[in-house]
Amino acid sequence: QVQLVESGGGLVQAGGSLRLSCEASGTIFSINGMAWYRQAPGKQRELVATITRGGFTIYADSAKGRFTISRNNAKNTVYLQMNSLKPEDTGVYYCNAGVSSGLAYASSWGQGTQVTVSS
């Protein structure tokens, strides 16, 4: 069984920065893609950024130029550095990872961390 635990959320003023972290633990053979999603109140969950094991990244248009996704494969951890935050970035941020446990492969989710950006 795999657990993903996010941290780093909080309340910040517009223009500020936050760094989210997500660490995977449990029975892990390898982790393929890792990603951050967010869900604003009353809206569907949306992709913010994703990163392959080799470091190839893709960003949502809303995140380009302001957010940076990175990972430490040795620590099974993915990060999201968020700069120039806007009120519309407010939401619950979820970590997702494609985890191989040897015989099984699963897309795992964290419990989410709240990010609130005040104007």
Side-chain angles (χ1 to χ4, degrees):
Q1 191 170 355
V2 176
Q3 298 82 38
L4 299 180
V5 178
E6 301 104 332
S7 61
L11 173 64
V12 64
Q13 288 188 332
S17 298
L18 284 174
R19 188 186 193 221
L20 306 182
S21 300
C22 172
E23 181 178 5
S25 62
T27 304
I28 298 171
F29 179 72
S30 66
I31 300 178
N32 298 322
M34 303 185 83
W36 287 97
Y37 288 74
R38 70 184 176 197
Q39 188 165 17
K43 295 187 177 181
Q44 290 187 333
R45 192 173 298 188
E46 63 178 359
L47 177 68
V48 176
T50 185
I51 184 168
T52 67
R53 184 172 181 82
F56 180 74
T57 59
I58 297 175
Y59 294 91
D61 287 343
S62 60
K64 289 178 181 177
R66 300 188 300 125
F67 295 1
T68 302
I69 189 171
S70 61
R71 64 190 284 175
N72 183 322
N73 291 331
K75 295 182 177 180
N76 292 328
T77 300
V78 63
Y79 307 95
L80 185 68
Q81 176 66 44
M82 304 186 293
N83 299 327
S84 302
L85 282 162
K86 304 175 181 179
E88 50 264 44
D89 294 319
T90 294
V92 179
Y93 283 68
Y94 297 92
C95 171
N96 175 265
V99 181
S100 172
S101 300
L103 296 179
Y105 179 87
S107 178
S108 299
W109 291 89
Q111 81 289 349
T113 185
Q114 176 70 44
V115 171
T116 303
V117 184
S118 63
S119 58

